[in-house]
Amino acid sequence: EIVMTQSPATLSVSPGERATLSCRASQSVSSNLAWYQQKPGQAPRLLIYGASTRATGIPARFSGSGSGTEFTLTISSLQSEDFAVYYCQQYNNWPPTTFGQGTKLEIK
Amino acid sequence: EVQLVESGGGLVQPGGSLRLSCAASGFTFSSYSMNWVRQAPGKGLEWVSYISSSSSTIYYADSVKGRFTISRDNAKNSLYLQMNSLRDEDTAVYYCARVSSTAMVTLWGQGTLVTVSS
């Protein structure tokens, strides 16, 4: 089973600033990596797939990069609605598909 | 509207059973593979089970193998999860999820809460 490790666990950033979230895989997952956003009391929402492709309707301030074992989600200028928990997921070697433990992005 | 709506959650005693349902609408359900994904209170996401569009391929997480059964009825646009021998650690919100040809989730339901407690 591939273990996904996200860092940091909590990230405090001011609105308008840039946020950089990391995700590391225990072995290569090629570019088969997705990012999801989850707000309190809501289901997750797909943001990025294929490590760098934005899902339909996702604003351009969200970008993904990386391949192999190291991945990054960048939010270029944080808006109030972006404060949430973010999860990465590998779907290269499955079953099982595995998720990271999440990064909570909070207002500084 | 494209959506997934889960139902069937509730309070059950350890060792008991529960059947979750997921109603799909707004898209061609029979063309998509589906997952169940769960989230324990205050915790992260855990994949539970996968079923292909024709039900020909089914997978389970080790944590539920032998206790849970996934199924679907394409004529009724519905996905199911039969959960037997429930344990305290099965307490979670269970999400029905539409997936791509891989296991990437492209659409999530709103979730249904299952609480296993005596």
Side-chain angles (χ1 to χ4, degrees):
Chain A
E1 174 177 324
I2 295 178
V3 177
M4 307 301 292
T5 303
Q6 293 185 239
S7 60
T10 303
L11 182 61
S12 299
V13 182
S14 300
E17 294 188 341
R18 173 188 297 257
T20 302
L21 290 67
S22 296
C23 175
R24 174 177 292 178
S26 60
Q27 64 188 76
S28 176
V29 298
S30 185
S31 294
N32 294 311
L33 190 285
W35 289 94
Y36 302 89
Q37 176 193 66
Q38 187 178 34
K39 297 180 180 179
Q42 296 185 17
R45 175 176 71 144
L46 177 65
L47 296 177
I48 301 285
Y49 63 93
S52 60
T53 302
R54 280 190 303 277
T56 303
I58 301 303
R61 64 180 182 272
F62 290 90
S63 64
S65 63
S67 66
T69 62
E70 300 284 343
F71 301 89
T72 300
L73 174 68
T74 301
I75 311 171
S76 59
S77 178
L78 280 164
Q79 307 297 303
S80 58
E81 62 267 29
D82 300 335
F83 292 95
V85 179
Y86 293 83
Y87 294 96
C88 62
Q89 177 211 14
Q90 71 81 19
Y91 50 92
N92 188 62
N93 290 2
W94 67 283
T97 180
T98 47
F99 295 87
Q101 81 281 16
T103 290
K104 181 180 181 181
L105 181 57
E106 63 177 25
I107 301 174
K108 186 174 182 180
Chain B
E1 181 184 2
V2 176
Q3 63 178 356
L4 299 168
V5 179
E6 301 93 335
S7 60
L11 175 63
V12 60
Q13 292 187 336
S17 298
L18 212 54
R19 189 195 195 206
L20 305 183
S21 299
C22 171
S25 59
F27 64 97
T28 306
F29 177 72
S30 60
S31 296
Y32 288 89
S33 299
M34 301 293 292
N35 275 352
W36 285 100
V37 177
R38 67 184 180 184
Q39 186 170 36
K43 303 298 184 182
L45 301 167
E46 179 189 16
W47 170 76
V48 172
S49 185
Y50 164 93
I51 186 168
S52 63
S53 58
S54 64
S55 303
S56 60
T57 301
I58 287 175
Y59 300 124
Y60 297 99
D62 287 345
S63 58
V64 306
K65 198 172 295 183
R67 300 187 298 122
F68 289 12
T69 302
I70 191 171
S71 63
R72 65 190 296 162
D73 185 336
N74 287 341
K76 295 183 178 180
N77 292 333
S78 294
L79 176 71
Y80 306 101
L81 186 67
Q82 177 66 44
M83 304 185 295
N84 298 332
S85 303
L86 283 161
R87 306 167 179 168
D88 291 350
E89 56 265 33
D90 295 319
T91 294
V93 173
Y94 285 73
Y95 293 103
C96 169
R98 187 185 75 182
V99 299
S100 64
S101 56
T102 60
M104 178 187 75
V105 177
T106 56
L107 179 68
W108 298 78
Q110 88 288 351
T112 188
L113 176 62
V114 172
T115 303
V116 184
S117 175
S118 54

